């Protein structure tokens, strides 16, 4: 676990190859997201996987038998320091990017920020909550783009 003076570790693990640049900047924006949302980040791990891999997790841990683009697990041991594991289906992200007519990178970033926002307390089950989630996703996508130029 990091000390108070260290930068919270954010790790990307690839069970499927994913091509996206500026990973250091993405991690910086995620850290900023947690600060702006007033949530202490202890550790965060992203696992990029296939539809089938995530479907298995969905069945085993959530009793859901359907494909999804993301599953977020809050593994925090205390309420004052967030530790999380976020599984992202690269297959779903690719399909959703085509369906929404956006680039793969745009959709991947949206989902990456979506998972972090869940750990900061955002929900998406009701239409009101989903609107708040989309607004926050857009905010951090714009923030990322402002820093990447």
């Amino acid at each position: 676990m990091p000390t108070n003076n260290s930068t919270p570790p954010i790790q990307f693990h690839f069970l499927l190859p994913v091509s996206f640049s500026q990973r250091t900047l993405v991690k910086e924006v995620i850290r900023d997201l947690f600060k702006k949302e007033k949530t202490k980040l202890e550790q965060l791990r992203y696992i990029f996987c296939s539809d089938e891999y995530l479907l298995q997790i969905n069945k085993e841990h959530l009793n859901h038998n359907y494909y999804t683009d993301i599953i977020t697990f809050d593994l925090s041991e205390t309420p004052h320091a967030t530790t999380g594991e976020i599984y992202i289906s690269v297959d779903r992200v690719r399909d959703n990017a085509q369906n929404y007519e956006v680039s793969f990178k745009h959709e991947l970033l949206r989902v990456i920020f979506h998972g972090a926002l869940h750990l900061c307390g955002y929900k998406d089950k009701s239409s009101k909550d989903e609107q708040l989630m989309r607004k926050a996703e857009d905010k951090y996508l714009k923030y990322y783009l402002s820093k990447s130029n």
Side-chain angles (χ1 to χ4, degrees):
M1 291 290 157
T3 63
N4 289 342
N5 297 331
S6 69
T7 304
I10 298 172
Q11 301 164 327
F12 293 143
H13 300 278
F14 300 93
L15 303 181
L16 275 184
V18 178
S19 174
F20 79 96
S21 59
Q22 297 182 305
R23 292 180 192 174
T24 301
L25 177 58
V26 172
K27 291 176 183 183
E28 180 184 319
V29 170
I30 293 166
R31 286 186 192 97
D32 289 349
L33 179 155
F34 275 87
K35 284 180 195 156
K36 289 172 187 274
E37 298 297 331
K38 297 176 176 54
T39 303
K40 185 179 184 315
L41 177 60
E42 188 74 29
Q43 184 175 0
L44 186 54
R45 189 176 310 116
Y46 285 88
I47 298 95
F48 298 91
C49 57
S50 67
D51 265 350
E52 294 306 319
Y53 190 91
L54 198 52
L55 177 61
Q56 201 56 42
I57 290 172
N58 213 5
K59 287 178 182 177
E60 288 176 17
H61 296 276
L62 303 174
N63 295 318
H64 297 159
N65 188 13
Y66 54 81
Y67 293 112
T68 186
D69 54 355
I70 185 169
I71 296 177
T72 302
F73 292 105
D74 187 338
L75 306 174
S76 305
E77 294 180 11
T78 70
H80 306 295
T82 301
T83 298
E85 216 169 61
I86 298 173
Y87 292 81
I88 296 175
S89 167
V90 176
D91 301 323
R92 264 321 86 218
V93 170
R94 193 167 282 114
D95 287 351
N96 288 344
Q98 285 181 335
N99 292 337
Y100 301 137
E101 299 179 350
V102 297
S103 71
F104 173 78
K105 183 173 182 178
H106 179 276
E107 184 63 11
L108 185 64
L109 289 168
R110 186 189 67 75
V111 173
I112 287 170
F113 300 146
H114 180 95
L117 288 163
H118 269 308
L119 292 170
C120 291
Y122 282 77
K123 308 284 184 225
D124 58 4
K125 296 298 179 204
S126 74
S127 61
K128 182 182 177 188
D129 287 345
E130 191 174 347
Q131 284 179 332
L132 291 172
M133 175 68 88
R134 294 291 170 257
K135 187 176 178 183
E137 290 168 5
D138 289 344
K139 172 182 168 182
Y140 290 107
L141 278 165
K142 286 178 186 154
Y143 179 67
Y144 169 84
L145 291 171
S146 75
K147 293 180 76 75
S148 69
N149 295 330

